Amino acid sequence: MTRSEQLFDAAQRVLPGGVNSPVRACRSVGTYPRFLDRGLGSHVWDVDGNEYIDLIGSWGPLILGHCREEVERAVLDAVKKGLSFGAPTAAEVEMAELVCQMTGVEMVRMVNSGTEAVMSALRLARGATGRSKIIKFAGCYHGHSDSMLVKAGSGALTGGAPDSAGVPKEIAGDTLTASYNDLASVEGLLNANPGQVAAVIVEPVAANMGVVPPQPGFLQGLRKLCDESGALLIFDEVITGFRLAPGGAQEYYGVRADLVTYGKIIGGGMPVGAYGGSRKLMELVAPLGPVYQAGTLSGNPVAMAAGLAQLRILKNNPEIYTELERKGALLEEGLKDALSGIPVQVNRVGSLLTVFFTEQPVTGYDQARSSDLTRFRQWYHGLLSRGIYAAPSQFEALFLSSAHTDTEIRRIIAAAGEIFQ
Ligand SMILES: *Cc1c(COP(=O)(O)O)cnc(C)c1O
């Protein structure tokens, strides 16, 4: 038995499924999780001493790779001054100023996770509009708050059914589900619920059903439908924020949302989330306004130090984004070539990429779900056994970081070419 298997045995006795977040358990690919020991740049090592090229990057946060010197130093300096105060610190002001400069939001509130950012933004949207209903898209993930654990109901115009036990149907009923890249489905829901929809929330690039780019005009169309109906447009940029561009998807696609949520990259690997928007909307949040939201560890000084150090590097080195685009294209083209014999779709936006094992172009949830999961499992194990650590699910993205080299990308492509021979 490997050390990872031993640890997993022990873990399963005291943690549900042996993990603290379900996908890590690797159940859909029929294996045990590799317990990781350390990372450096684009590489990670497991507790058995195996080395991998890391294509997960902690599920997005590590856009500069593991243990980037400036980030590590900032964290160590902050640690020496105290782990938490529950009082304002200078780092929070610098962080908020930087986020506002990079993204164009006028005010921002720090929280501790993407889930919390979304939950708070939804409360703010409801508080600001006096409306209750929310439109989300099937296959988009917005964290695990009650109202977001809903997928498509069978009747497009009825309220959703909860996706998880423990979500009251009264709460799920206020979540309406539309189809990604299908403006008519949104328009239908808005027309069927006049004056009742507080917000439309969307991943501007869907990355939690695998990567599905917005089709030309989709985000602009959402903007227009929201303006006409008085619903707020919320971009959930927990993945796309600071990844597609310094200003995230808003900058990349030239569409502005009313509220934006961040997570992942904003914390540089520490637990941070944030939501922001116009001064007018954000001034509705406590202590200025009637929308209550709070957090004992929000704006934690060590977490702020990590996030700030990473965001500063991104802001001051815009060539990082052109390089990520170039490397992403290199990987995309190489994978298409290497896998040309079998039915695949390689979907990519910048440094986010998914190989779907299906014949159909993947533009939404239904096409993503047509993927051959047996083939995906073979793909996952083929990569893992060749030293490439990729997401153990068809419905996740691969994440490139600035630490990945062309040589490593060629190694990934070469490995991909061997798997189905
Ligand atoms: C990861 C993710 C979340 C949830 O963030 P957590 O920090 O895991 O709570 C929300 N929205 C999107 C788009 C995400 O990818």
Side-chain angles (χ1 to χ4, degrees):
M1 255 219 287
T2 62
R3 181 82 185 118
S4 279
E5 285 169 292
Q6 288 167 7
L7 282 169
F8 193 44
D9 271 358
Q12 285 172 285
R13 272 176 241 127
V14 284
L15 294 162
V19 291
N20 283 310
S21 196
V23 71
R24 297 178 198 167
C26 296
R27 290 169 78 96
S28 71
V29 288
T31 185
Y32 59 92
R34 273 55 181 177
F35 281 66
L36 296 188
D37 181 47
R38 67 191 178 93
L40 185 63
S42 56
H43 289 245
V44 287
W45 286 261
D46 69 19
V47 290
D48 292 290
N50 300 305
E51 179 176 352
Y52 305 93
I53 298 175
D54 182 14
L55 287 177
I56 298 184
S58 187
W59 302 96
L62 302 182
I63 191 169
L64 302 176
H66 295 266
C67 296
R68 173 81 179 219
E69 214 185 321
E70 296 93 322
V71 178
E72 199 176 87
R73 210 180 320 122
V75 168
L76 293 176
D77 288 348
V79 163
K80 287 183 199 141
K81 292 162 78 174
L83 295 184
S84 179
F85 305 107
T89 61
E92 291 164 276
V93 189
E94 289 171 59
M95 177 65 129
E97 286 172 350
L98 190 57
V99 169
C100 290
Q101 273 172 31
M102 289 175 81
T103 67
V105 302
E106 291 175 339
M107 294 183 112
V108 65
R109 169 64 62 83
M110 293 294 149
V111 294
N112 305 288
S113 69
T115 294
E116 215 186 315
V118 168
M119 187 182 81
S120 310
L122 293 176
R123 184 180 303 138
L124 174 51
R126 285 167 161 152
T129 59
R131 302 172 175 188
S132 298
K133 292 184 178 168
I134 304 287
I135 294 177
K136 77 176 283 289
F137 294 89
C140 280
Y141 180 67
H142 302 290
H144 65 88
S145 66
D146 283 352
S147 64
M148 291 291 96
L149 288 181
V150 176
K151 63 181 171 189
S154 49
L157 301 184
T158 60
D163 238 3
S164 164
V167 176
K169 58 181 183 315
E170 295 76 16
I171 291 179
D174 277 339
T175 303
L176 312 173
T177 312
S179 302
Y180 197 75
N181 276 328
D182 179 357
L183 288 171
S185 71
V186 181
E187 199 171 2
L189 290 172
L190 287 168
N191 289 339
N193 297 275
Q196 298 172 62
V197 176
V200 175
I201 183 165
V202 68
E203 287 183 75
V205 173
N208 285 289
M209 49 175 137
V211 174
V212 180
Q215 290 184 334
F218 177 60
L219 298 175
Q220 290 82 354
L222 290 182
R223 180 67 274 172
K224 184 157 171 285
L225 288 173
C226 284
D227 289 341
E228 289 165 2
S229 66
L232 299 181
L233 179 59
I234 305 178
F235 275 5
D236 181 352
E237 295 228 42
V238 170
I239 283 183
T240 55
F242 312 104
R243 179 167 283 279
L244 300 185
Q250 290 196 103
E251 177 180 340
Y252 193 84
Y253 292 107
V255 179
R256 295 216 65 89
D258 298 299
L259 292 170
V260 191
T261 57
Y262 298 102
K264 299 190 171 117
I265 289 178
I266 197 172
M270 299 289 281
V272 180
Y275 62 105
S278 64
R279 189 172 307 283
K280 185 163 161 268
L281 281 174
M282 292 304 290
E283 283 185 346
L284 296 173
V285 176
L288 289 183
V291 178
Y292 193 72
Q293 185 269 310
T296 302
L297 293 175
S298 296
N300 173 271
V302 182
M304 292 296 105
L308 251 181
Q310 183 163 264
L311 291 188
R312 279 194 184 122
I313 294 171
L314 293 173
K315 175 161 185 281
N316 296 332
N317 299 277
E319 72 283 359
I320 288 173
Y321 293 98
T322 36
E323 270 295 281
L324 283 172
E325 169 59 30
R326 187 188 64 74
K327 289 178 203 169
L330 186 67
L331 182 59
E332 177 189 355
E333 292 312 316
L335 289 176
K336 280 180 175 162
D337 257 10
L339 299 170
S340 61
I342 48 169
V344 295
Q345 307 296 325
V346 183
N347 278 13
R348 179 185 70 88
V349 179
S351 53
L352 297 168
L353 183 148
T354 297
V355 179
F356 290 101
F357 292 91
T358 176
E359 271 161 8
Q360 307 177 40
V362 178
T363 56
Y365 191 44
D366 291 338
Q367 298 92 337
R369 285 203 303 177
S370 76
S371 300
D372 179 345
L373 299 184
T374 308
R375 217 171 224 150
F376 177 83
R377 188 192 272 221
Q378 200 185 342
W379 163 250
Y380 171 79
H381 286 280
L383 290 176
L384 191 68
S385 65
R386 289 169 178 81
I388 297 155
Y389 186 74
S393 161
Q394 172 70 88
F395 308 107
E396 301 284 356
L398 303 180
F399 297 90
L400 286 178
S401 76
S402 66
H404 288 94
T405 63
D406 287 12
T407 310
E408 286 161 358
I409 290 170
R410 283 191 211 99
R411 254 188 69 195
I412 298 164
I413 295 165
E418 290 170 12
I419 294 173
F420 297 103
Q421 287 192 349

